Every structure is written in structure tokens, then in C-alpha cells.
Amino acid sequence: MTTEREAVAAGFDKWVSTLADWVAIPSVSADPARRPEVKASADFLAEALRRTGFPVVRVLESNSYLPAVYAHWPSGDPDAVRVVVYGHHDVQPADGEERWTHPPFSPQVIDDVMYGRGASDDKGNIAAHLLGLTAHLQASGRSAPAVDLTLLVEGEEESGSPHIGELLDELADQLTADAIVVSDTGIFNADTPSLCVGMRGLVSAELQVHGPDVDLHSGVFGGAVANPITELARLLAAMHDQDGHITIPRFYDGVIEPTDDERAVTAALPFDESKWISGPAASRAAWGEAGYSTLERIGIRPTAEINGIFGGYTGPGGKTIVPTDATAKLTFRLVGQQDPAAIRQAVSDFFAARVRDGLTVTLDWESDGVAPLYTDPTHPATAATQRALGAAFDTDTVLLTREGGSGPEADLVAAIGAPMVFLGVMTEEDQIHAPNEKAPLPLLRKGCEAVAHLWRELAAVGRDGLVADRG
Ligand SMILES: [Zn+2]
């Protein structure tokens, strides 16, 4: 009997050359001139999925979105766990040519590392589903996967997934699932497999305080009418207390406090805070909400951030005025089950209740915002994914992490209505979105293997096991 590992090893060299051929297609979604290449990349993936055995493969095209790939392989068992895999086949632009020592679209393998745009983000991680599935079939002796498998690989994620809603609507009937597997993320580092269980949401606004209708002489009027800049500063400062807690009533509704276990897991992550402060944070000290560690502040706590502030006279010299207006740009990162609409209302009410007579505040929200993605860390799908990664990395310890950023994942959960897990093997060293993007082949090999283990693990949990007792 072949094991998943043996099957991956047997097919790996051929898989690497398939990945290299795919990476050679410059599917840059941001560049309108590259549209034919985005289509060629979708066609390439579709063909590879057909060769792997998927009976249903379609390249989805429309006048709005760039070509996406849909594939389906039923398990043959009507009670099988249904899985939707999400990822993308478009890539970031490869500008800054002089900084690429390895050409972005002529992939090379040097010392067991593949260089090329998309080798990691996200072609390497999506291609893992090809060999991973083959290995699953060989190891299980099945002629169809043990789970009902659907793939949705979009072509404009690197451009902000502007049409993901349209794509999900169009496929609504075909995306029924008991679990969503996102393969577009990574692990803590090459020696520390981990599973992301949360991403923050986001709402953004411009806050304007309007005072007198004309700039006033600060000698003749100053002190007798409210100054909009002073008032804006007062309103903004009121959003936090001395300890960094957000004071907006109802703001923390839906925030989920970490359990002791979760806190212990976060505390155990190999995170070097002083390196982080002087390195990526380019700062002299860490600061944030009292009672939470730096990783907790990024992963599980919401923020009220001021991104910009302007108003009054900012030219050379001085100007003695009480200005008419003051403006700030604000963003709120959301976590847990915070609801963007409720947050927008809470923030509006907060400023409206505090503004002085004679001044008006307006809040312009940029959009409806993005909901946070919260995965129950105790969900059986999470545990199954931890086991699959653990089997590929030969460890019983697969850490759970939460990421501070925001993506289309919450849209997928809302549209499909199933728990989400993340299976990807990118690391911070891969230089994704930067020149000389790369992916170590040993990690990609583990990624392929983890896919093979995951289908076995999810099938073993069963559909009832994934939905039972979730109250
Ligand atoms: Zn990506």
C-alpha cells in the first residue's frame, strides 16, 4: 500500500515542472495588457485539473471579472463531506525589474528553491491540490476523492477581488459545503506549522468637523466660538482611555475574549518582540491596549486608528484664524463577531453625542466594510486540518494563529455558510508581492502531502461530525 508521502514523492519532480510551466505565465491581474495571460493561466490550470481526473472543469469568464476556474469531483457517496477550496491564479505585478536577480516569469529551481512570481502566492499552494489529490487517491485506493471536492480559483485576488460577490452569486447552487478550505496563506515559519483561525474586518470613514462658515480672526472671535480642530482633536482623543481601551459604547459587542488555552498557545508562538519592534515595526517600543500581548493586540483585539488629519492653515509662517473645518481619516479593524453595520452606527452615535453646539460632524463611510473572519478554534474542521498539517510536518503541535489583515474570506463564509480552515505553506521568507518571490520545494512537498491527509481526515470526521453539537 502506498502512503500519501510516498505518492507525493513519486510524483513530485513532474509536479515541479508543471508548476514551473504555470509560473511562466505572467497572469498579472492588475495589468489590462496581461488579460490574455490571465486567461492562459486559467486554461493551464483547467487542463491540469482535467489531467488529475476532475470530471467537471470550467473556465468562468464574463465581461466584468477576469477568468476564474471552477472544478468539481463528486465523491460518489451522497453523505460525503462537501468541501470548497478557494485560492487564486493571478499574481502581483513584477515591477522593479532591476531588483529581480531571478527573472519573475522564467522560473528557476536553485538549491531546492523555486524562484518566480506566483511560485508561492498562490500558484504553488493551489498546485498542491493537484498532486495532493492524486496522492490521496493512491493512498486510499479510491477512484474518486473521499470528500465531495469543489475548487474555485479566482483571477483577480491580487487586485482586491472586486467581483468575488458576483462570482459567488453565479455559483451559488454549486458551492454547497460543510467546510471551506482557503489555500492562500501560510504557516508561522518553515519549522512551525500553524493554522490561521481569524482575520480582522475593516470599516473606514472620513470624519469632518465643521465650525464657522468662514475663517474667523482669532483675536476678534477666538475664545468665543468653538474651534473645529480643537474639537476634532478632543473627539478623536476620546476614542481611547489612558490604557488604550476603546471607549465607544457598544464597540466591543461581538469581540470574543480568548480562552486561557488560546492565550497559552499565542504566548507559546516563537515571536521575538524586540526583533519585531526594531525590524518590521520600525519603532522604539510596543504600545497598545493594556492586558493584551503584542500578538493578541494584532490578532484578537479591534482597533480605532486615525490614519490622517488635516484642517486650517498649514502654509508657511502663521495665520491667526479660527478655521472653518477639520478632518480626520479613520479605520476600525474588527474581530470576532463584530458587525460592520453596528460598528458604523456606534461610531456615529459616539461623535454625535459629544459634539459641541454650533459644530456639525459628518462621517463619510467608504463602503459597507468587511466583516471579520472568525473560526471557532475548537471546530472539528480546525482539528482535522491541524492533524493533516501535523502529519505532513511530522509533529503533533500545529499552532493556531490569528492574522491582522483583511481579505475576501468573510465574503466566502457569508455566501457559502460553512466553517473555514486555511491550508497553505507560505512563509514570511517567500518574498510574496516583492522581487525574487520564491518557494522552498521541501515546503511545497509538505503542502501537497497536507492536502492528501486533509481529505482523509475530513472524510473520517464525516458530515455529521462537522455540524453536530455546534450550539
Ligand atoms: Zn495570495
Side-chain angles (χ1 to χ4, degrees):
M1 194 73 180
T2 316
T3 64
E4 283 88 352
R5 181 162 299 172
E6 287 162 357
V8 167
F12 195 65
D13 287 349
K14 192 159 170 239
W15 178 86
V16 169
S17 75
T18 302
L19 174 59
D21 290 345
W22 195 17
V23 171
I25 304 172
S27 49
V28 179
S29 56
D31 183 355
R34 295 291 202 190
R35 268 158 199 260
E37 282 89 352
V38 176
K39 169 73 162 71
S41 164
D43 288 340
F44 184 97
L45 174 61
E47 205 37 56
L49 288 163
R50 285 185 196 106
R51 279 201 311 274
T52 304
F54 276 86
V56 181
V57 180
R58 294 203 312 268
V59 173
L60 307 170
E61 293 183 80
S62 87
N63 290 328
S64 52
Y65 56 76
L66 290 170
V69 178
Y70 166 89
H72 181 61
W73 194 341
S75 146
D77 171 0
D79 296 323
V81 168
R82 297 157 300 180
V83 178
V84 169
V85 174
Y86 166 84
H88 61 93
H89 69 90
D90 62 319
V91 298
Q92 281 276 313
D95 51 334
E97 225 163 278
E98 65 291 346
R99 291 180 299 148
W100 284 82
T101 47
H102 306 279
F105 301 114
S106 306
Q108 298 169 315
V109 174
I110 300 166
D111 293 338
D112 244 11
V113 174
M114 182 184 288
Y115 291 84
R117 173 61 89 222
S120 174
D121 180 15
D122 187 26
K123 286 172 174 168
N125 280 282
I126 285 302
H129 285 275
L130 300 167
L131 181 55
L133 179 55
T134 301
H136 163 67
L137 295 175
Q138 287 178 7
S140 63
R142 299 178 55 98
S143 55
V147 296
D148 233 37
L149 202 52
T150 302
L151 256 72
L152 174 59
V153 183
E154 74 157 313
E156 46 189 20
E157 195 274 345
E158 298 294 10
S159 299
S161 302
H163 304 99
I164 187 76
E166 189 180 331
L167 207 49
L168 290 170
D169 279 351
E170 203 177 300
L171 293 168
D173 301 341
Q174 292 147 81
L175 296 177
T176 314
D178 306 300
I180 306 165
V181 175
V182 170
S183 284
D184 187 22
T185 51
I187 51 178
F188 198 80
N189 64 41
D191 307 314
T192 315
S194 64
L195 176 56
C196 167
V197 286
M199 293 171 88
R200 292 200 280 196
L202 181 66
V203 290
S204 323
E206 203 171 275
L207 171 68
Q208 193 184 45
V209 178
H210 178 65
D213 292 333
V214 292
D215 285 350
L216 300 175
H217 188 291
S218 70
V220 179
F221 300 95
V225 291
N227 180 309
I229 298 179
T230 308
E231 288 309 302
L232 177 68
R234 190 177 62 83
L235 291 172
L236 295 177
M239 292 199 297
H240 293 89
D241 70 13
Q242 289 292 339
D243 293 324
H245 299 299
I246 295 162
T247 54
I248 299 166
R250 311 193 306 280
F251 188 82
Y252 286 108
D253 288 2
V255 173
I256 295 164
E257 287 296 330
T259 62
D260 289 348
D261 281 356
E262 265 191 274
R263 302 198 76 165
V265 165
T266 306
L269 289 170
F271 175 64
D272 184 337
E273 182 159 300
S274 55
K275 230 168 152 185
W276 176 85
I277 291 169
S278 59
S283 300
R284 263 64 57 201
W287 192 83
E289 189 180 6
Y292 297 93
S293 70
T294 292
L295 283 182
E296 288 174 337
R297 287 168 183 161
I298 297 168
I300 59 163
R301 300 302 291 170
T303 66
E305 208 75 66
I306 303 158
N307 314 114
I309 183 165
F310 51 97
Y313 180 72
T314 57
K319 190 178 181 195
T320 47
I321 56 164
V322 176
T324 59
D325 291 286
T327 305
K329 287 183 180 287
L330 310 177
T331 48
F332 301 86
R333 294 275 175 181
L334 312 181
V335 298
Q337 287 162 355
Q338 281 181 299
D339 170 25
I343 294 298
R344 293 200 309 272
Q345 191 59 53
V347 172
S348 301
D349 293 350
F350 176 80
F351 291 129
R354 273 161 190 77
V355 67
R356 274 189 217 295
D357 280 353
L359 295 172
T360 49
V361 283
T362 6
L363 257 178
D364 263 336
W365 294 99
E366 208 168 87
S367 67
D368 290 347
V370 178
L373 175 81
Y374 175 78
T375 307
D376 175 359
T378 66
H379 196 281
T382 304
T385 311
Q386 283 178 294
R387 288 194 297 276
L389 277 164
F393 281 80
D394 291 314
T395 174
D396 293 331
T397 314
V398 174
L399 303 174
L400 300 178
T401 60
R402 293 182 191 278
E403 292 184 7
S406 312
E409 283 73 17
D411 286 343
L412 290 167
V413 172
I416 299 172
M420 176 174 276
V421 294
F422 293 81
L423 190 76
V425 292
M426 294 177 199
T427 71
E428 259 179 21
E429 329 247 282
D430 289 357
Q431 297 178 202
I432 65 168
H433 296 206
N436 303 309
E437 179 173 345
K438 61 187 177 8
L441 296 185
L443 270 188
L444 289 175
R445 185 193 299 236
K446 286 175 184 164
C448 296
E449 201 188 314
V451 168
H453 293 308
L454 183 59
W455 303 151
R456 184 194 66 231
E457 291 288 349
L458 283 175
V461 173
R463 200 188 288 180
D464 289 345
L466 286 174
V467 295
D469 309 320
R470 299 317 308 159

